Short mmCIF file of all heavy atoms in Angstrom, two decimals:
data_model
loop_
_atom_site.label_atom_id
_atom_site.label_comp_id
_atom_site.label_asym_id
_atom_site.label_seq_id
_atom_site.Cartn_x
_atom_site.Cartn_y
_atom_site.Cartn_z
N GLY A 498 22.22 -1.02 -14.05
CA GLY A 498 21.69 -1.64 -12.83
C GLY A 498 22.38 -2.96 -12.50
O GLY A 498 21.96 -3.67 -11.62
N GLU A 499 23.47 -3.26 -13.22
CA GLU A 499 24.22 -4.49 -12.95
C GLU A 499 24.71 -4.47 -11.49
O GLU A 499 25.35 -3.51 -11.08
CB GLU A 499 25.47 -4.53 -13.82
CG GLU A 499 25.21 -4.86 -15.26
CD GLU A 499 24.74 -6.31 -15.42
OE1 GLU A 499 25.45 -7.21 -14.99
OE2 GLU A 499 23.64 -6.49 -15.98
N PRO A 500 24.48 -5.56 -10.77
CA PRO A 500 25.04 -5.57 -9.39
C PRO A 500 26.55 -5.78 -9.40
O PRO A 500 27.07 -6.49 -10.27
CB PRO A 500 24.34 -6.78 -8.73
CG PRO A 500 23.52 -7.44 -9.78
CD PRO A 500 23.71 -6.76 -11.08
N VAL A 501 27.23 -5.13 -8.52
CA VAL A 501 28.68 -5.34 -8.37
C VAL A 501 29.00 -5.58 -6.90
O VAL A 501 28.30 -5.07 -6.03
CB VAL A 501 29.54 -4.12 -8.82
CG1 VAL A 501 29.61 -4.01 -10.30
CG2 VAL A 501 29.05 -2.83 -8.18
N ALA A 502 30.06 -6.33 -6.67
CA ALA A 502 30.51 -6.53 -5.28
C ALA A 502 31.57 -5.49 -5.01
O ALA A 502 32.51 -5.32 -5.81
CB ALA A 502 31.06 -7.93 -5.14
N ARG A 503 31.42 -4.75 -3.92
CA ARG A 503 32.48 -3.81 -3.54
C ARG A 503 32.90 -4.16 -2.12
O ARG A 503 32.05 -4.54 -1.31
CB ARG A 503 31.97 -2.37 -3.52
CG ARG A 503 31.40 -1.90 -4.86
CD ARG A 503 31.12 -0.40 -4.73
NE ARG A 503 30.02 0.04 -5.58
CZ ARG A 503 30.16 0.51 -6.82
NH1 ARG A 503 31.35 0.60 -7.35
NH2 ARG A 503 29.10 0.91 -7.51
N ARG A 504 34.18 -4.03 -1.85
CA ARG A 504 34.61 -4.28 -0.46
C ARG A 504 34.73 -2.94 0.23
O ARG A 504 35.63 -2.16 -0.04
CB ARG A 504 35.95 -5.01 -0.47
CG ARG A 504 35.84 -6.42 -1.02
CD ARG A 504 37.21 -6.95 -1.35
NE ARG A 504 38.05 -7.06 -0.15
CZ ARG A 504 38.06 -8.11 0.65
NH1 ARG A 504 37.32 -9.16 0.36
NH2 ARG A 504 38.84 -8.16 1.72
N LEU A 505 33.76 -2.65 1.07
CA LEU A 505 33.70 -1.33 1.70
C LEU A 505 33.91 -1.49 3.21
O LEU A 505 33.12 -2.13 3.89
CB LEU A 505 32.37 -0.65 1.40
CG LEU A 505 32.06 -0.47 -0.09
CD1 LEU A 505 30.59 -0.10 -0.32
CD2 LEU A 505 32.98 0.58 -0.68
N ALA A 506 34.98 -0.87 3.70
CA ALA A 506 35.32 -1.01 5.12
C ALA A 506 34.32 -0.20 5.95
O ALA A 506 33.66 0.71 5.44
CB ALA A 506 36.73 -0.50 5.35
N ARG A 507 34.24 -0.54 7.21
CA ARG A 507 33.43 0.26 8.14
C ARG A 507 34.01 1.68 8.17
O ARG A 507 35.23 1.86 8.13
CB ARG A 507 33.53 -0.31 9.55
CG ARG A 507 32.73 -1.56 9.75
CD ARG A 507 32.87 -2.06 11.17
NE ARG A 507 32.59 -3.49 11.22
CZ ARG A 507 31.38 -4.03 11.13
NH1 ARG A 507 30.32 -3.24 11.03
NH2 ARG A 507 31.21 -5.32 11.15
N GLY A 508 33.15 2.66 8.24
CA GLY A 508 33.60 4.04 8.33
C GLY A 508 33.87 4.68 6.97
O GLY A 508 34.11 5.87 6.86
N MET A 509 33.83 3.86 5.91
CA MET A 509 34.16 4.38 4.57
C MET A 509 33.15 5.41 4.07
O MET A 509 33.52 6.43 3.50
CB MET A 509 34.19 3.20 3.63
CG MET A 509 34.64 3.57 2.27
SD MET A 509 36.10 2.63 1.92
CE MET A 509 36.20 2.81 0.20
N ALA A 510 31.85 5.11 4.28
CA ALA A 510 30.83 6.03 3.80
C ALA A 510 30.98 7.37 4.49
O ALA A 510 30.92 8.43 3.86
CB ALA A 510 29.43 5.43 4.04
N ALA A 511 31.21 7.32 5.79
CA ALA A 511 31.35 8.55 6.57
C ALA A 511 32.57 9.33 6.07
O ALA A 511 32.52 10.56 5.90
CB ALA A 511 31.47 8.23 8.05
N ARG A 512 33.65 8.60 5.82
CA ARG A 512 34.89 9.27 5.39
C ARG A 512 34.70 9.91 4.01
O ARG A 512 35.06 11.07 3.81
CB ARG A 512 36.02 8.24 5.35
CG ARG A 512 37.37 8.86 5.57
CD ARG A 512 38.48 7.88 5.89
NE ARG A 512 38.48 6.69 5.08
CZ ARG A 512 38.29 5.46 5.56
NH1 ARG A 512 38.06 5.28 6.86
NH2 ARG A 512 38.32 4.41 4.77
N LEU A 513 34.09 9.15 3.12
CA LEU A 513 33.87 9.69 1.77
C LEU A 513 32.93 10.90 1.80
O LEU A 513 33.13 11.87 1.05
CB LEU A 513 33.28 8.58 0.87
CG LEU A 513 33.20 8.92 -0.62
CD1 LEU A 513 34.58 9.20 -1.19
CD2 LEU A 513 32.55 7.76 -1.40
N PHE A 514 31.95 10.83 2.67
CA PHE A 514 31.01 11.94 2.84
C PHE A 514 31.79 13.23 3.19
O PHE A 514 31.60 14.29 2.57
CB PHE A 514 29.99 11.58 3.91
CG PHE A 514 29.01 12.67 4.20
CD1 PHE A 514 27.91 12.87 3.38
CD2 PHE A 514 29.18 13.50 5.31
CE1 PHE A 514 26.99 13.88 3.64
CE2 PHE A 514 28.26 14.51 5.59
CZ PHE A 514 27.17 14.70 4.75
N ALA A 515 32.67 13.10 4.17
CA ALA A 515 33.44 14.28 4.60
C ALA A 515 34.35 14.78 3.47
O ALA A 515 34.50 15.97 3.24
CB ALA A 515 34.26 13.95 5.85
N GLU A 516 34.94 13.83 2.74
CA GLU A 516 35.83 14.23 1.63
C GLU A 516 35.06 14.97 0.53
O GLU A 516 35.53 15.94 -0.02
CB GLU A 516 36.46 12.98 0.99
CG GLU A 516 37.66 12.47 1.77
CD GLU A 516 38.14 11.12 1.23
OE1 GLU A 516 37.85 10.77 0.05
OE2 GLU A 516 38.76 10.41 2.01
N ARG A 517 33.85 14.48 0.25
CA ARG A 517 33.04 15.13 -0.78
C ARG A 517 32.64 16.56 -0.37
O ARG A 517 32.54 17.44 -1.21
CB ARG A 517 31.77 14.33 -1.05
CG ARG A 517 31.96 13.18 -1.99
CD ARG A 517 32.41 13.70 -3.34
NE ARG A 517 32.95 12.60 -4.13
CZ ARG A 517 32.24 11.84 -4.94
NH1 ARG A 517 30.96 12.09 -5.10
NH2 ARG A 517 32.78 10.85 -5.58
N ALA A 518 32.41 16.72 0.92
CA ALA A 518 32.07 18.06 1.42
C ALA A 518 33.25 19.01 1.15
O ALA A 518 33.05 20.15 0.74
CB ALA A 518 31.73 17.99 2.90
N GLU A 519 34.46 18.47 1.36
CA GLU A 519 35.65 19.32 1.13
C GLU A 519 35.78 19.66 -0.33
O GLU A 519 36.05 20.80 -0.71
CB GLU A 519 36.92 18.58 1.60
CG GLU A 519 37.01 18.53 3.10
CD GLU A 519 38.02 17.49 3.61
OE1 GLU A 519 38.98 17.20 2.88
OE2 GLU A 519 37.82 17.00 4.73
N LEU A 520 35.52 18.66 -1.19
CA LEU A 520 35.58 18.88 -2.65
C LEU A 520 34.56 19.92 -3.07
O LEU A 520 34.88 20.85 -3.85
CB LEU A 520 35.29 17.54 -3.35
CG LEU A 520 35.34 17.58 -4.85
CD1 LEU A 520 36.81 17.49 -5.33
CD2 LEU A 520 34.54 16.41 -5.47
N LEU A 521 33.35 19.80 -2.58
CA LEU A 521 32.31 20.75 -2.96
C LEU A 521 32.66 22.16 -2.46
O LEU A 521 32.53 23.15 -3.19
CB LEU A 521 30.94 20.31 -2.43
CG LEU A 521 29.79 21.25 -2.74
CD1 LEU A 521 29.55 21.37 -4.23
CD2 LEU A 521 28.48 20.78 -2.06
N ALA A 522 33.12 22.23 -1.20
CA ALA A 522 33.45 23.54 -0.65
C ALA A 522 34.56 24.21 -1.47
O ALA A 522 34.51 25.42 -1.74
CB ALA A 522 33.88 23.39 0.81
N ALA A 523 35.54 23.41 -1.90
CA ALA A 523 36.64 23.97 -2.72
C ALA A 523 36.07 24.47 -4.05
O ALA A 523 36.42 25.56 -4.52
CB ALA A 523 37.70 22.93 -2.94
N GLY A 524 35.20 23.68 -4.65
CA GLY A 524 34.60 24.09 -5.93
C GLY A 524 33.76 25.33 -5.79
O GLY A 524 33.79 26.25 -6.64
N LEU A 525 33.01 25.41 -4.70
CA LEU A 525 32.18 26.60 -4.46
C LEU A 525 33.05 27.81 -4.21
O LEU A 525 32.68 28.94 -4.58
CB LEU A 525 31.22 26.36 -3.28
CG LEU A 525 30.09 25.36 -3.53
CD1 LEU A 525 29.34 25.08 -2.23
CD2 LEU A 525 29.12 25.86 -4.60
N GLY A 526 34.20 27.57 -3.60
CA GLY A 526 35.15 28.67 -3.36
C GLY A 526 35.66 29.22 -4.69
O GLY A 526 35.69 30.45 -4.90
N ALA A 527 36.05 28.33 -5.60
CA ALA A 527 36.55 28.75 -6.90
C ALA A 527 35.47 29.49 -7.67
O ALA A 527 35.72 30.51 -8.33
CB ALA A 527 37.05 27.52 -7.69
N LEU A 528 34.23 28.99 -7.54
CA LEU A 528 33.10 29.65 -8.23
C LEU A 528 32.91 31.05 -7.67
O LEU A 528 32.80 32.04 -8.43
CB LEU A 528 31.85 28.79 -8.02
CG LEU A 528 30.57 29.24 -8.73
CD1 LEU A 528 30.73 29.17 -10.24
CD2 LEU A 528 29.37 28.38 -8.31
N ALA A 529 32.89 31.16 -6.34
CA ALA A 529 32.69 32.48 -5.72
C ALA A 529 33.79 33.45 -6.12
O ALA A 529 33.54 34.64 -6.36
CB ALA A 529 32.65 32.32 -4.18
N ASP A 530 35.02 32.94 -6.25
CA ASP A 530 36.15 33.80 -6.63
C ASP A 530 36.03 34.31 -8.07
O ASP A 530 36.42 35.43 -8.38
CB ASP A 530 37.49 33.02 -6.54
CG ASP A 530 37.91 32.80 -5.12
OD1 ASP A 530 37.31 33.44 -4.22
OD2 ASP A 530 38.79 31.97 -4.88
N ASP A 531 35.52 33.46 -8.96
CA ASP A 531 35.58 33.78 -10.39
C ASP A 531 34.30 34.35 -10.99
O ASP A 531 34.30 34.81 -12.14
CB ASP A 531 35.98 32.52 -11.19
CG ASP A 531 37.45 32.19 -10.96
OD1 ASP A 531 38.10 32.95 -10.20
OD2 ASP A 531 37.93 31.21 -11.54
N VAL A 532 33.20 34.29 -10.23
CA VAL A 532 31.95 34.85 -10.74
C VAL A 532 32.05 36.38 -10.74
O VAL A 532 32.50 36.96 -9.76
CB VAL A 532 30.79 34.34 -9.86
CG1 VAL A 532 29.65 35.27 -9.81
CG2 VAL A 532 30.34 32.96 -10.33
N PRO A 533 31.69 37.06 -11.83
CA PRO A 533 31.77 38.52 -11.83
C PRO A 533 30.94 39.14 -10.70
O PRO A 533 29.89 38.60 -10.36
CB PRO A 533 31.19 38.91 -13.20
CG PRO A 533 31.29 37.68 -14.03
CD PRO A 533 31.18 36.52 -13.12
N PRO A 534 31.43 40.23 -10.13
CA PRO A 534 30.72 40.84 -9.01
C PRO A 534 29.26 41.13 -9.38
O PRO A 534 28.96 41.53 -10.51
CB PRO A 534 31.48 42.14 -8.74
CG PRO A 534 32.81 41.97 -9.41
CD PRO A 534 32.65 40.96 -10.50
N GLY A 535 28.38 40.92 -8.45
CA GLY A 535 26.95 41.22 -8.68
C GLY A 535 26.18 40.07 -9.28
O GLY A 535 24.94 40.14 -9.41
N THR A 536 26.85 38.98 -9.68
CA THR A 536 26.14 37.84 -10.27
C THR A 536 25.41 37.09 -9.17
O THR A 536 26.00 36.74 -8.16
CB THR A 536 27.15 36.87 -10.94
OG1 THR A 536 27.96 37.62 -11.84
CG2 THR A 536 26.42 35.75 -11.69
N PRO A 537 24.12 36.83 -9.36
CA PRO A 537 23.43 36.06 -8.31
C PRO A 537 23.64 34.57 -8.47
O PRO A 537 24.03 34.10 -9.55
CB PRO A 537 21.95 36.41 -8.58
CG PRO A 537 21.88 36.72 -10.04
CD PRO A 537 23.23 37.25 -10.45
N ALA A 538 23.35 33.82 -7.41
CA ALA A 538 23.37 32.35 -7.52
C ALA A 538 22.24 31.92 -8.44
O ALA A 538 21.22 32.62 -8.56
CB ALA A 538 23.16 31.74 -6.13
N ALA A 539 22.43 30.81 -9.10
CA ALA A 539 21.40 30.33 -10.05
C ALA A 539 20.12 29.96 -9.26
O ALA A 539 20.20 29.58 -8.09
CB ALA A 539 21.90 29.11 -10.79
#
Side-chain angles (χ1 to χ4, degrees):
E499 285 292 303
V501 284
R503 302 188 210 267
R504 292 165 63 88
L505 302 167
R507 285 180 204 286
M509 185 120 163
R512 207 164 44 243
L513 189 60
F514 178 80
E516 279 171 22
R517 277 299 164 91
E519 287 164 27
L520 181 81
L521 179 62
L525 290 173
L528 183 65
D530 286 348
D531 287 1
V532 152
T536 307

